[in-house]
């Protein structure tokens, strides 16, 4: 079983601060996804990265896939209260049907 | 487009009872998935389907059965519910295989087994 470790598990910051969430594994992945989930709702797909070293930007969010395709990071610039939620990374290896989710990072942005 | 819908939203069962969770998507997606989400465990794949009439086991399939008789519907059944199946269940769909990950999730079904 491929394991994904997310850190930190909890993050509480003030509006305007920057933050980075990490997703690490000892396994190589063919692709990695980041999702955001709000209480009482299903996860919403933010981005998919497939190429080692790939960087994608979504407004104030920057996603990076490690060169070796074993890790990824999510950086948020000037966080806003609307960014509050559970951030999940998920990755797939070579076996079909084996998408693995990390445990998630709970982000709280205070006004 | 309604996206991915799930019924019911909440359900309480007694141990040993059976029930079926219904998932429907109106995006003509080939791939559909059932996940469960538990505190500290993240999302775990129960079963998935790559097309109408096909199903396959995921990470935690025991105690569950599924059917995909129509492309737009994916049913998850619990034949004899156990307290360990208390969880939040999410259905998802996508147009690509799991290499691209599930694209759209439903709002979830919160199931409690007493």
């Amino acid at each position: 079983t491929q394991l994904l470790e997310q850190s930190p598990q909890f993050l509480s910051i003030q509006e305007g601060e920057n933050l980075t969430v990490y997703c690490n594994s000892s396994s190589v992945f063919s692709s990695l996804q980041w999702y955001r989930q709000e209480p009482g709702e299903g996860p919403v797909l933010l981005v998919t990265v497939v190429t080692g070293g790939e960087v994608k930007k979504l407004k104030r969010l920057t996603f990076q896939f490690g060169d070796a395709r074993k890790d990824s990071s999510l950086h948020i610039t000037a966080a806003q209260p609307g960014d509050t939620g559970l951030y999940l990374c998920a990755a797939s290896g070579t076996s079909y049907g084996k998408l693995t989710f990390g445990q998630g990072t709970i982000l709280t942005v205070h006004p | 487009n309604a996206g991915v819908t799930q019924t019911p939203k909440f359900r309480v069962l007694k141990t040993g009872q059976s029930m079926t969770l219904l998932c429907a998507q109106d995006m003509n997606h080939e791939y559909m998935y059932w996940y469960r989400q538990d505190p500290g465990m993240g999302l775990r794949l129960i079963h998935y389907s790559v097309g109408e009439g096909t199903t396959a086991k995921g990470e935690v399939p025991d105690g569950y059965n599924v059917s995909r008789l129509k492309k737009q519907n994916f049913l998850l059944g619990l034949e004899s519910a156990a307290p360990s199946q208390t969880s939040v269940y999410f259905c998802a769909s996508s147009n690509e295989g799991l290499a691209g990950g599930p694209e759209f999730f439903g709002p979830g079904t919160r199931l409690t087994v007493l």
Side-chain angles (χ1 to χ4, degrees):
Chain A
T1 302
Q2 298 160 326
L3 295 177
L4 279 177
E5 297 285 340
Q6 277 189 247
S7 62
Q9 280 190 290
F10 303 94
L11 198 50
S12 180
I13 61 172
Q14 293 297 125
E15 182 176 2
E17 293 184 8
N18 301 331
L19 67 110
T20 302
V21 176
Y22 299 93
C23 181
N24 297 297
S25 174
S26 58
S27 303
V28 176
F29 296 108
S30 59
S31 68
L32 190 140
Q33 292 78 37
W34 284 94
Y35 299 83
R36 186 168 82 94
Q37 184 178 18
E38 297 191 22
E41 298 183 8
V44 174
L45 179 64
L46 297 174
V47 75
T48 298
V49 287
V50 296
T51 305
E54 183 176 5
V55 177
K56 283 191 174 180
K57 292 191 175 183
L58 186 67
K59 297 183 180 178
R60 292 177 294 101
L61 279 61
T62 302
F63 304 87
Q64 186 163 7
F65 202 14
D67 291 340
R69 306 210 314 274
K70 293 183 178 182
D71 55 270
S72 180
S73 64
L74 158 60
H75 182 79
I76 301 179
T77 303
Q80 298 177 359
D83 295 326
T84 293
L86 173 67
Y87 288 82
L88 295 158
C89 66
S92 58
T94 55
S95 298
Y96 196 82
K98 299 301 181 184
L99 190 68
T100 301
F101 276 82
Q103 292 183 338
T105 294
I106 298 176
L107 171 65
T108 304
V109 182
H110 302 280
Chain B
N1 275 353
V4 180
T5 58
Q6 292 182 233
T7 53
K9 290 188 176 181
F10 302 94
R11 185 71 186 268
V12 177
L13 291 178
K14 293 182 179 179
T15 298
Q17 287 185 319
S18 63
M19 76 163 294
T20 300
L21 282 67
L22 172 64
C23 174
Q25 53 93 5
D26 60 0
M27 297 170 283
N28 202 35
H29 283 170
E30 290 290 339
Y31 302 87
M32 296 187 75
Y33 320 82
W34 275 107
Y35 288 90
R36 60 177 289 174
Q37 186 174 34
D38 304 291
M41 301 290 288
L43 281 148
R44 292 181 293 170
L45 183 65
I46 304 171
H47 286 279
Y48 64 99
S49 168
V50 302
E52 181 180 317
T54 70
T55 63
K57 294 180 180 180
E59 182 184 356
V60 288
D62 294 342
Y64 305 94
N65 56 77
V66 288
S67 64
R68 183 100 182 267
L69 298 179
K70 293 183 178 181
K71 186 177 183 179
Q72 64 268 31
N73 295 334
F74 195 27
L75 279 63
L76 178 70
L78 285 74
E79 291 185 349
S80 180
S84 61
Q85 294 177 304
T86 293
S87 186
V88 182
Y89 291 86
F90 288 100
C91 176
S93 72
S94 65
N95 234 352
E96 298 182 4
L98 286 178
E103 292 180 75
F104 298 96
F105 279 82
T109 295
R110 186 173 294 275
L111 174 66
T112 302
V113 183
L114 303 174

